[in-house]
Amino acid sequence: MDTAIYRLDDYCLTDAVSEADREKLKKAAEILAGGGLVAFPTETVYGLGGNALNPESSRRIYAAKGRPSDNPLIVHIADIGDLGPLVSNIPESARRLAERFWPGPMTMVFKKSGLVPKETTGGLDTIAVRFPVHPVAMELIRLAGVPVAAPSANLSGRPSTTTAEHCIEDLSGRIDAIVDGGGAEIGVESTIIDVSGPVPQLLRPGAVTKEMIEDTLGIVLPEDPAIKGPLAPGVRPKAPGMKYRHYAPKAPLQLVVGRDGYTGVAAAAAELLRSKLKAGFRPALLCTPECLEEMKTLDSFSEKDIIIRLAGSRANRQQTAHDLFEMLRELDETEAEYIVAEGCPEDQLGQAIMNRLKKAAAWQILYV
Ligand code: TXA
Ligand code: MG
């Protein structure tokens, strides 16, 4: 299949979509409405969209991604009024969260209505809904005139895509079109909160943080064990996607985490790199500039023969989240046989970053 690429001229997040760009989006929207698949930018990561009400479109999404069909899709809307028909009721907690965080990087899980086919929800009787704030995503969904089911636009098992180039790498020839609207601002996927039960539950951390949700609802959220550690054998996670390793780089990744902030992280990472070099492996380092500077002061560290990628900084975790998947993809293009990655404290956005890093590490974590 030939994949059409619609490159938008204006990537600006704050501006409305221009006329020329709207014409391209109209073509993409026609594809969606007609049952085809289109990758498009959102503020979190790129999504692989299809008509959420068309079971065949959802089947095609699973096939294009190589994704197990028990892993449900997030349904995207572009108007708060489009939520009602998709769900069987809207709890008070959801109203409050929607008021504060929609449109934006938050997904809520509701009991679904009869309108939504089981193919879209991976057989579940709940539905995940998101109202993205990206102007291109909003305009595309509006023009399509249907709710748009969209998982992250990557091949199953690869890091989520944050640029159109990543989508081309993974999905060219497998889907009808890709809308290039520039880089995704946030870089990690949306926060998922389940409001379908008696107590709201955080299923996946994202840019809308646990702290922000707790502040809005005036409650303390229970911890979902699937977020911070591997699940015990036989335990099913509430978000089916959390059971997959995901974001797996080609080389094994060892995560180094400080028990007390960043103390000892640089020294432990330097030691790991040295022992891997000695054993004849080509190691890579994924860290912040602060960590690298600290390592340079150590006798045990030399940059020679180490592949280095920097992601954000300790002082700017937003940037770390933004760079993370891109750097993991870059490392896949290198000779790296072993990756040492620096962790960060698990508060605020750190929880989202660490959730992705831990999964990339297949839970191989060294606490120092
Ligand atoms: O930021 C995002 O959320 C991106 C953009 C494109 O919107 N989408 C995204 O979708 O990350 P995906 O499919 O890669 O991740 C969706 C996650 C999966 O872990 C899935 O199991 C979970 O949401 N999920 C979907 N529907 C659910 C449901 N009804 N109940 C529990 N978890 C659900
Ligand atoms: Mg995904």
Side-chain angles (χ1 to χ4, degrees):
M1 166 194 300
D2 274 347
T3 302
I5 313 282
Y6 299 117
R7 290 199 198 277
L8 304 185
D9 299 320
D10 185 6
Y11 292 170
C12 184
L13 268 177
T14 49
D15 273 353
V17 175
S18 71
E19 263 320 305
D21 286 345
R22 180 166 295 108
E23 285 310 311
K24 297 175 194 161
L25 289 180
K26 274 186 187 156
K27 290 192 188 143
E30 273 168 30
I31 296 176
L32 284 174
L37 304 187
V38 178
F40 63 96
T42 83
E43 70 277 19
T44 55
V45 297
Y46 270 70
L48 171 54
N51 178 352
L53 304 182
N54 179 344
E56 187 49 33
S57 296
S58 293
R59 277 195 283 269
R60 292 186 60 202
I61 290 176
Y62 289 112
K65 271 181 71 88
R67 175 174 179 146
S69 59
D70 68 344
N71 190 1
L73 309 175
I74 294 178
V75 177
H76 295 65
I77 56 174
D79 187 299
I80 192 72
D82 295 337
L83 174 64
L86 300 174
V87 304
S88 72
N89 77 312
I90 304 175
E92 180 53 27
S93 56
R95 287 184 200 282
R96 292 187 17 212
L97 290 171
E99 201 167 293
R100 177 143 173 220
F101 301 115
W102 271 1
M106 178 190 70
T107 297
M108 289 192 278
V109 175
F110 299 86
K111 289 248 176 328
K112 81 176 191 70
S113 72
L115 186 66
V116 186
K118 288 259 177 167
E119 282 79 359
T120 301
T121 64
L124 299 178
D125 60 3
T126 53
I127 176 176
V129 184
R130 175 156 120 76
F131 181 175
V133 73
H134 196 293
V136 172
M138 284 205 224
E139 191 64 19
L140 179 65
I141 299 164
R142 268 192 219 117
L143 289 169
V146 290
V148 174
S152 48
N154 52 285
L155 284 177
S156 199
R158 296 217 66 205
S160 294
T161 47
T162 56
T163 66
E165 274 60 46
H166 299 164
C167 298
I168 293 170
E169 254 169 52
D170 277 21
L171 298 171
S172 188
R174 303 174 73 92
I175 62 176
D176 300 284
I178 295 170
V179 176
D180 180 357
E185 280 242 304
I186 294 174
V188 290
E189 307 86 346
S190 62
T191 306
I192 304 180
I193 175 134
D194 185 348
V195 293
S196 69
V199 184
Q201 291 227 332
L202 183 65
L203 303 187
R204 182 174 71 184
V208 171
T209 65
K210 184 171 187 279
E211 291 86 344
M212 288 155 78
I213 295 167
E214 288 178 337
D215 178 58
T216 306
L217 298 181
I219 58 166
V220 175
L221 289 170
E223 278 295 343
D224 182 342
I227 290 178
K228 288 197 170 169
L231 284 169
V235 176
R236 283 162 58 98
K238 298 208 177 60
M242 296 294 268
K243 74 177 170 233
Y244 299 106
R245 181 175 162 205
H246 263 173
Y247 327 118
K250 287 181 186 148
L253 184 147
Q254 171 73 61
L255 184 58
V256 184
V257 184
R259 286 185 202 280
D260 176 23
Y262 295 100
T263 312
V265 171
E271 203 42 60
L272 280 169
L273 290 167
R274 188 163 70 160
S275 70
K276 282 292 159 184
L277 267 175
K278 246 175 140 180
F281 293 100
R282 186 82 202 274
L285 172 64
L286 176 62
C287 71
T288 60
E290 291 97 324
C291 182
L292 183 60
E293 283 313 308
E294 212 181 312
M295 290 170 88
K296 284 182 187 168
T297 67
L298 302 168
D299 290 339
S300 56
F301 179 75
S302 142
E303 278 181 78
K304 191 174 169 303
D305 294 329
I306 295 176
I307 298 160
I308 299 174
R309 289 292 181 282
L310 299 177
S313 75
R314 287 179 182 171
N316 186 350
R317 281 196 257 170
Q318 246 107 14
Q319 190 66 39
T320 304
H322 176 273
D323 297 343
L324 187 62
F325 289 140
E326 173 137 38
M327 291 304 123
L328 286 173
R329 278 181 177 263
E330 275 196 28
L331 284 170
D332 275 349
E333 304 294 310
T334 70
E335 315 265 271
E337 292 168 294
Y338 182 84
I339 303 166
V340 175
E342 174 195 10
C344 69
E346 283 185 71
D347 60 331
Q348 308 285 351
L349 193 54
Q351 196 175 37
I353 295 168
M354 283 292 282
N355 170 257
R356 281 31 169 217
L357 274 172
K358 285 176 175 180
K359 290 207 280 183
W363 314 103
Q364 288 302 304
I365 307 163
L366 175 67
Y367 288 97
V368 294

